[in-house]
Amino acid sequence: MNDRIAHAGLAAKLMPAEQAATLIEPGMSVGMSGFTGAGYPKAVPLALAHRIAAAQDRGESFALRILTGASTAPELDGALARAGGIDFRLPYQSDPDLRARINGGQIEYMDIHLGHVAQYTWFGFLGKIDVAVIEVTAILPDGRLVPSTSVGNNKTWLDLAEKVIIEVNHRQPMGLDGMHDIYYGTALPPARKPIPLTSPGDRIGEPYLKVDLDKVVAVVETDAPDRIGRFTPPDETSRRIAGHLVEFFRHEIRAGRLGEHLLPLQSGVGNIANAVLAGLHEGGFRGLTAFTEVIQDGMLELIGNGTIDMASATSFSLSPEGVEEFVRNIDLYRRKIVLRPQEISNHAELVRRLGCIAMNGMVEADLYGNVNSTHVAGTSIINGIGGSGDFARNGFMSCFVTPSTAKNGAISAFVPMVSHVDHTEHDVAVLVSEQGLADLRGLSPKQRARQIIANCAHPDYRPMLQDYFDRALRDSKGRHTPHLLAEALSWHQRYLDTGTMRA
């Protein structure tokens, strides 16, 4: 035994990743740990990919159903996709090889709200889980597991899988011990009880994951970092978007709809999200809280400088520099951060009770406030809806942010009709681009259209949108949500045909 594997029975099940991979058979449904590139198994998926590739070289069929918390990394999603080892995947992904095969039709992909995955699995909607492959930081003497840098759906996979393979990653800092809060009080309808969490820092569970020791068939040791790329520093466009949103929050404080500490923040992943968080610090906000899914560099910095007092999430998504800062000051962050299962971090009951302010990116929005956050031209998935819908539908306020154009101005982020709908007009309160902010609360569809055209659209596309809207007002059979159906998606078709949406 060693200090990372302190349970004698589980220490006796130590084996190489290649041997553990032989316990996973073709056609199985495998629940893997991992959420936004953190806490995913590092060795078994690679060994499994080699095994699959060898089987297929022999002419044997070998593919799996892969379920995770969210996106993982090349050692998991990428390796298995390249080997042809995935026939079904959910819920969220970001690997380019996996995405290419999904959009090429070789892999079936189910995009699903992150807050629904655990309960759908418990309901039996997703079938049985044959094997769970879970990364942990350590195994305690009584067999409980110190979670890693993400929790995701690990509790559910451990509870429901018929067999469990545990990867113990020596690279994950032991200072993570005590940062997690694993709640075991959920139940199936009609036996559900209210979840007793009323502020982001509440601890309602226990610090460790539990596993039926008889189900553990292998323990594998690794020593490898999470693989997460660096974020581009905020550019002028991101800073302008952040400035509009921060000024809007100040307006809401003056109007009495928000207090000086705002409400718990939920922030998506990316450069704009980091810019918005930086803008809050620069704007003098202090004593904030977060109830979100992912803690990335921008939020870690705000925790370190005192802008955010407490943050609840289910995972980290840190650059290499962010990881160094986290490890260096882990005692501070352990007091300020709670990592939970995603069925709690994304739970509708809690998002609504806490009144979260949701800030998420998008691909495009239409004149009436419908948002597409997942697809290019309505047919090709990018990453997935993630948790944005969990927060947009249930939060105090849902804000969607984007640059007004893409591809050097060839694409407008504001179009007559979105090519795919992830968030309907009913769930969208605020749209923000570098051009300005449209507050859509309390407005009819036509009133929303005027706000979006005037405040968010790029000047190059504003006359085109206004022309479409004016003609729709005149010629549409219905005047509540006026559309010219023959033209509604013509901007997307023009881009596919000519490489630009410009007329």
Side-chain angles (χ1 to χ4, degrees), residues 292-297 299-300 303 311-313 315-318 337-339:
T292 189
E293 306 146 292
V294 175
I295 293 174
Q296 56 181 4
D297 286 32
M299 189 167 289
L300 194 72
I303 296 168
S312 169
S315 179
F316 290 102
S317 184
L318 301 174
I337 294 171
V338 183
L339 294 183

Side-chain angles (χ1 to χ4, degrees), residues 38-39 135 137 147-151 172-173 176 180 226 314-316 339:
E135 178 183 277
T137 301
S148 182
T149 44
S150 70
V151 181
Q172 301 292 15
L176 286 166
H180 307 83
D226 291 328
T314 192
S315 179
F316 290 102
L339 294 183

Side-chain angles (χ1 to χ4, degrees), residues 73-84:
E75 300 98 314
L76 198 164
D77 278 333
L80 290 175
R82 288 190 298 274

Side-chain angles (χ1 to χ4, degrees), residues 12-25 43-44 47-48 51 165 217-220:
K13 297 181 180 181
L14 267 172
M15 64 182 68
E18 293 74 16
Q19 183 180 353
T22 64
L23 302 172
I24 300 174
E25 298 295 336
V44 172
L48 184 58
R51 181 168 177 245
I165 298 171
V217 294
V219 176
V220 174

Side-chain angles (χ1 to χ4, degrees), residues 15 23 49 58 61 96 103 201 213 216 218 220 239 242 246 253 318 322 333 347 388 409 416 427 475 481:
M15 64 182 68
L23 302 172
R58 298 191 298 269
S61 176
N103 287 322
L213 300 181
V216 178
V220 174
R239 285 191 288 268
V246 170
I253 292 171
L318 301 174
Y333 295 120
H347 201 290
S388 56
D427 300 330
D475 300 333
T481 308

